Amino acid sequence: MDSIWLSGAEWLAVLRIGLGLWWLESWRHKDRKAWFERGTGIRWAASIAAKHRWNAVRSGFEVMVAPRPRTMAYVVVYAELAIGLGLVAGFLTPVALVGGLLLNVLYFTLMIHEVAEQGQNSMMALMSLVGLFGMSWQSWSLDGALGLFG
């Protein structure tokens, strides 16, 4: 593989780190007090799920999220932080990439009516797939330094 300035593995590390920074920004801009104390994030998602065109999304939200809004707020917020940190540091990278991919698929599915959300989540999911199948933890990562994941 030919590339300019960096090796292919290093460019994949750049992609991985950039995706991690995107997740960290998603975490950073959340009003955690509003999410945890007032439940604003989950209430917003509930209002979208209630009007969703797919019954599976509506019923899935009612079964999994609605009964435990506070817990789910913590899960969402700290999953974004863990994914971001894992990708930037390159620690447990395949786990972070798969977790981010799953979260993006959930966000994409919930926000199927919002073009901007579809674009963001589909691009983040694509970056996760490229990072996963390109083994982006080979360079500039704790996984690489520790000899994890081959």
Side-chain angles (χ1 to χ4, degrees):
M1 166 193 267
D2 293 329
S3 63
I4 298 172
W5 295 321
L6 302 173
S7 71
E10 290 169 335
W11 278 119
L12 285 169
V14 169
L15 181 74
R16 181 197 80 230
I17 293 165
L19 179 59
L21 292 171
W22 199 344
W23 278 112
L24 289 175
E25 176 57 21
S26 181
W27 172 79
R28 187 195 66 79
H29 83 260
K30 280 189 173 40
D31 181 347
R32 286 175 287 287
K33 186 173 183 173
W35 269 70
F36 299 150
E37 293 176 14
R38 297 191 307 277
T40 57
I42 300 301
R43 272 203 323 268
W44 171 75
S47 71
I48 292 167
K51 300 177 285 191
H52 206 280
R53 69 174 102 168
W54 297 336
N55 187 46
V57 172
R58 289 190 307 273
S59 60
F61 193 93
E62 287 301 314
V63 169
M64 294 300 297
V65 180
R68 48 192 80 77
R70 185 173 170 91
T71 300
M72 294 309 290
Y74 278 94
V75 167
V76 168
V77 170
Y78 287 112
E80 290 183 358
L81 175 62
I83 291 165
L85 291 174
L87 294 176
V88 169
F91 183 64
L92 301 177
T93 309
V95 176
L97 288 166
V98 169
L101 177 63
L102 292 174
L103 209 51
N104 284 129
V105 168
L106 286 171
Y107 292 171
F108 181 89
T109 303
L110 179 64
M111 300 299 295
I112 200 75
H113 306 298
E114 296 289 329
V115 176
E117 286 289 329
Q118 288 176 352
Q120 171 177 310
N121 287 295
S122 61
M123 289 302 98
M124 289 176 82
L126 176 62
M127 291 169 73
S128 292
L129 284 172
V130 170
L132 184 64
F133 292 118
M135 298 172 57
S136 63
W137 53 89
Q138 295 177 72
S139 288
W140 304 342
S141 72
L142 291 174
D143 292 337
L146 297 171
L148 301 176
F149 309 111

